[in-house]
Amino acid sequence: MREMTPAEQIERSLNKRFRKTLWNPFIAAIKRYELIAPGDRIAVCISGGKDSMLMAKLLQMLQKHSEFPFEVRYLCMDPGYTSEIRSSIVRNAEIMGVPLNIFESDVFEAVKQADTHPCFLCARMRRGCLYRHAQEEGCNKIALGHHLNDVIETTLMSMLYGAQIQGMLPRVRSRNFEGMELIRPLYCVKEQDILAFCRYHSLAFIQCACDVSARNMESGNGSKRQEIKQLIATLKKTNPIIEDNLFAAIHDVRLDTLLGWKAQGKACVQSYMESES
C-alpha cells in the first residue's frame, strides 16, 4: 500500500480528526455569510503564518468538492522577508500541497520610515498590494486568514483602546478597488483549534517577520492585541465559554439600548429616555 504524502495526511486529518473543530466551522462561515458564489475567482492571501496556510488548504479542499465552480489563486507577497523566512514559507507550502504564486513588494522598507503606528501602516500597505495584484490576476475577491479570536479581540480592542464599538466583518466590499471584496473564511474557527492542528502535524509557521515586531518582543513590549488575548485567557479560567459569548454578542447588538451609533458614516443618537416594555 502506497504511503500517504504529508499533504494527503493533512487532508485526511481535516476530514477526520479536525472535521468538527476546523472543517465544519469553516464551511459554516462560507454558508452563513455567503462568502463564495459560483464563478468567483478568489485570491487566497498567504502570509506564511498558520492561519493563512490553513485557510489555503481548506479552500483548496473545498474547491475540489464544491457543488459549484469557483477559482482560486494562492498569492504570497514577499514584503521584504529574509531568505530564511521565505524558504520556510515555500517549504511549508510544499508540505501542505499548496501551490504558491510569490510576488515582491517593498512594504517593510517603507514601514521603516514610519515614526508612528508602523503596524497599522504595514497592514494597510500589504492589503493594498494584495488587492492590486489580485485584481491584475483577474480575481474579484481576496481571502484573509482572520479567525474567530481575531474577531472578538478586535471588538474588545476598539472598546478598551479606541473608545468605540467596532467589529470585523466576514465580508467587506472594497472602497478603493472597484468590484473587489474581502472575505474571511476562518471567521468561525477558533485559534486554539488551529494550534492543535499545527501541533498534531508538527508544523512550524512564521510569526510576524518585521523588524518592529522583533524589537518589541525583545524589549518585552507586547502589542495591545496580546494584552487582549491575555485578558480573554484570564476570563476563560472562570467562564470557559467566554469566547462563544463574545462571538455571539457581535451577532446580537441591541441598538435600542445604546446611546449612539454610526451607520454608513451617518451618526445616530438615541433618546436618553425610552419607555419600558
Side-chain angles (χ1 to χ4, degrees):
M1 184 175 179
R2 182 180 67 85
E3 184 177 352
M4 288 192 296
T5 66
E8 289 172 336
Q9 292 174 13
I10 286 170
E11 289 185 14
R12 181 180 176 83
S13 76
L14 290 170
N15 273 320
K16 301 287 186 178
R17 187 182 186 93
F18 297 102
R19 188 173 190 86
K20 183 177 179 180
T21 56
L22 295 178
W23 179 259
N24 288 351
F26 162 72
I27 294 299
I30 297 294
K31 292 182 176 180
R32 181 176 187 179
Y33 309 116
E34 300 179 340
L35 301 185
I36 302 177
D40 277 346
R41 189 170 193 182
I42 304 168
V44 183
C45 301
I46 300 171
S47 66
K50 67 185 191 316
D51 308 324
S52 62
M53 279 288 193
L54 173 62
M55 174 187 66
K57 191 63 190 177
L58 289 170
L59 283 168
Q60 184 186 56
M61 292 171 61
L62 177 62
Q63 187 193 28
K64 291 179 183 177
H65 306 290
S66 177
E67 297 176 355
F68 56 82
F70 68 92
E71 297 181 49
V72 287
R73 292 282 289 167
Y74 302 96
L75 301 187
C76 178
M77 182 182 67
D78 181 345
Y81 291 139
T82 64
S83 59
E84 291 81 8
I85 289 176
R86 179 159 170 161
S87 296
S88 174
I89 294 172
V90 172
R91 182 169 60 253
N92 281 329
E94 290 174 350
I95 292 171
M96 299 282 284
V98 174
L100 286 185
N101 177 9
I102 301 178
F103 68 99
E104 298 177 354
S105 75
D106 59 353
V107 170
F108 280 0
E109 190 62 34
V111 170
K112 287 181 182 178
Q113 314 304 321
D115 295 326
T116 58
H117 308 297
C119 293
F120 173 80
L121 177 61
C122 180
R124 187 166 184 172
M125 290 183 66
R126 288 170 72 140
R127 188 169 302 180
C129 289
L130 288 167
Y131 265 124
R132 193 172 301 108
H133 196 83
Q135 203 168 49
E136 291 173 357
E137 293 281 338
C139 298
N140 65 310
K141 291 178 179 176
I142 67 170
L144 300 185
H146 297 118
H147 48 62
L148 182 148
N149 293 82
D150 289 323
V151 175
I152 61 177
E153 288 161 12
T154 296
T155 303
L156 284 179
M157 285 173 63
S158 73
M159 295 173 65
L160 299 180
Y161 301 117
Q164 60 182 344
I165 300 175
Q166 181 173 314
M168 177 185 283
L169 292 172
R171 181 178 174 184
V172 182
R173 182 180 294 110
S174 174
R175 295 179 180 178
N176 300 318
F177 295 87
E178 187 176 355
M180 296 288 292
E181 287 186 4
L182 180 156
I183 61 173
R184 296 183 167 102
L186 300 185
Y187 202 81
C188 298
V189 176
K190 293 181 180 178
E191 185 174 29
Q192 66 187 35
D193 297 320
I194 300 175
L195 290 169
F197 165 80
C198 294
R199 288 193 297 269
Y200 181 77
H201 289 288
S202 300
L203 295 168
F205 297 105
I206 70 167
Q207 304 293 323
C208 183
C210 72
D211 293 339
V212 174
S213 177
R215 288 197 300 270
N216 285 339
M217 291 296 290
E218 289 173 0
S219 64
N221 296 325
S223 67
K224 295 302 181 186
R225 184 171 295 276
Q226 192 60 38
E227 290 181 18
I228 294 296
K229 281 183 180 292
Q230 293 172 356
L231 173 61
I232 293 175
T234 300
L235 294 172
K236 196 174 177 180
K237 292 177 182 178
T238 55
N239 183 1
I241 62 170
I242 192 71
E243 293 169 332
D244 298 322
N245 286 346
L246 288 168
F247 190 66
I250 66 173
H251 292 79
D252 189 17
V253 178
R254 308 300 174 92
L255 287 179
D256 56 357
T257 67
L258 299 179
L259 293 175
W261 63 90
K262 288 183 179 179
Q264 297 183 358
K266 182 179 179 181
C268 302
V269 179
Q270 183 84 281
S271 170
Y272 293 151
M273 183 179 294
E274 295 289 340
S275 59
E276 288 187 335
S277 57

